Amino acid sequence: MFSLRAFFHLTFILILITGCGHQTAHNEQEKSSQGDGEQVPKQLGLQNSRETIKTRKKVLIDAPHIKQEPELARGCEVTSLAMLLNDAGIEIDKMTLANKIKKVPFERNGLKGNMNEGFVGNMHTKSKPGIGVYHGPIKNLAEAYLPSGVNDLTGKDFGEVMVQLNRQQPVWVIVTSTFDLVPEQEWETWQTTNGTMKITYKMHSVLVTGYDDKYIYVNDPLDSKNRRLPRKPFIAGWEQIGKQAITVQK
């Protein structure tokens, strides 16, 4: 017969075994829920602060490709927007967008134009001064065609761009024209109509159409459809110029 002391000793052992088993199951479930994909930080604004990007071997979207030249020497931003809108089923051409985008003078009263306010300078020819436009006026123009369908990703991690690509939604971006970090000597500080702005002429806009583990794919208005570019330098150049990106809901 068991003594009372032996009974309590056996009961204590059983409690310990049960507790460890429950903890192990909890850890396995938590580990499984995290998955094997790339983790997206909380600041990306996703529904789940630890939502997993299920990175695929390759994502490539068959979006329309439009060339900016010869009509728009500096019109990469509106041309890339035309590609984005056409992919979403909005039939619009680059020249219409070029006419409708808000514009500001290159210089007035000793102050340069501000790319957050509109296209700065001349878009059509490089014989006259001009530079480009940032995402804000492009977003506003896109909303004229899709009032509730524009998703501004600016300031978020590139992982959010990949999330959109996984959903078969291409993404309009501003990136350095070298698709890599631009050295400091290529940057200038402008006194603009709305404060100081650090700018570089080595800027470009493309439509991001895909990715794989080594490359980013873009529809380049100065080059080809689904142009392949090294992934890490591309992301570095995109981050350097402000992580500017928008997409639209199809």
Side-chain angles (χ1 to χ4, degrees), residues 229-241:
L229 299 163
R231 176 168 158 169
K232 288 185 178 180
F234 181 94
I235 295 174
W238 174 75
E239 291 176 342
Q240 188 183 30
I241 211 159

Side-chain angles (χ1 to χ4, degrees), residues 111-198:
L111 296 175
K112 297 287 178 60
N114 191 305
M115 287 185 280
N116 291 313
E117 297 178 353
F119 189 95
V120 175
N122 193 290
M123 188 187 304
H124 298 273
T125 175
K126 291 187 177 179
S127 64
K128 296 180 180 179
I131 181 168
V133 61
Y134 280 167
H135 82 283
I138 290 290
K139 173 180 175 287
N140 293 340
L141 182 55
E143 287 177 335
Y145 297 93
L146 289 169
S148 59
V150 180
N151 186 4
D152 190 353
L153 310 175
T154 300
K156 297 181 180 179
D157 188 86
F158 197 81
E160 180 62 24
V161 174
M162 294 169 66
V163 168
Q164 302 304 317
L165 296 172
N166 286 349
R167 296 170 181 166
Q168 293 296 298
Q169 294 178 174
V171 180
W172 177 101
V173 301
I174 293 281
V175 65
T176 54
S177 59
T178 60
F179 306 109
D180 200 347
L181 290 174
V182 169
E184 187 62 30
Q185 60 265 30
E186 297 288 350
W187 292 81
E188 303 176 15
T189 299
W190 280 6
Q191 297 299 322
T192 80
T193 52
N194 193 22
T196 300
M197 171 177 281
K198 189 175 181 180

Side-chain angles (χ1 to χ4, degrees), residues 41-129:
K42 184 175 182 179
Q43 62 266 29
L44 297 189
L46 301 177
Q47 291 180 351
N48 186 332
S49 63
R50 298 296 294 172
E51 180 178 341
T52 301
I53 301 175
K54 295 181 179 178
T55 52
R56 303 170 188 175
K57 187 173 182 180
K58 186 174 183 178
V59 172
L60 194 59
I61 300 168
D62 183 22
H65 180 247
I66 302 171
K67 288 287 192 78
Q68 69 184 75
E69 293 179 330
E71 298 89 352
L72 300 174
R74 294 192 183 97
C76 56
E77 298 95 344
V78 293
T79 305
S80 293
L81 177 60
M83 290 189 259
L84 178 65
L85 292 175
N86 274 267
D87 183 72
I90 306 297
E91 294 185 7
I92 193 72
D93 62 84
K94 65 182 182 182
M95 299 307 294
T96 299
L97 296 176
N99 290 331
K100 290 191 173 185
I101 188 73
K102 184 180 178 182
K103 301 173 184 68
V104 296
F106 183 78
E107 188 171 3
R108 177 184 289 172
N109 299 325
L111 296 175
K112 297 287 178 60
N114 191 305
M115 287 185 280
N116 291 313
E117 297 178 353
F119 189 95
V120 175
N122 193 290
M123 188 187 304
H124 298 273
T125 175
K126 291 187 177 179
S127 64
K128 296 180 180 179

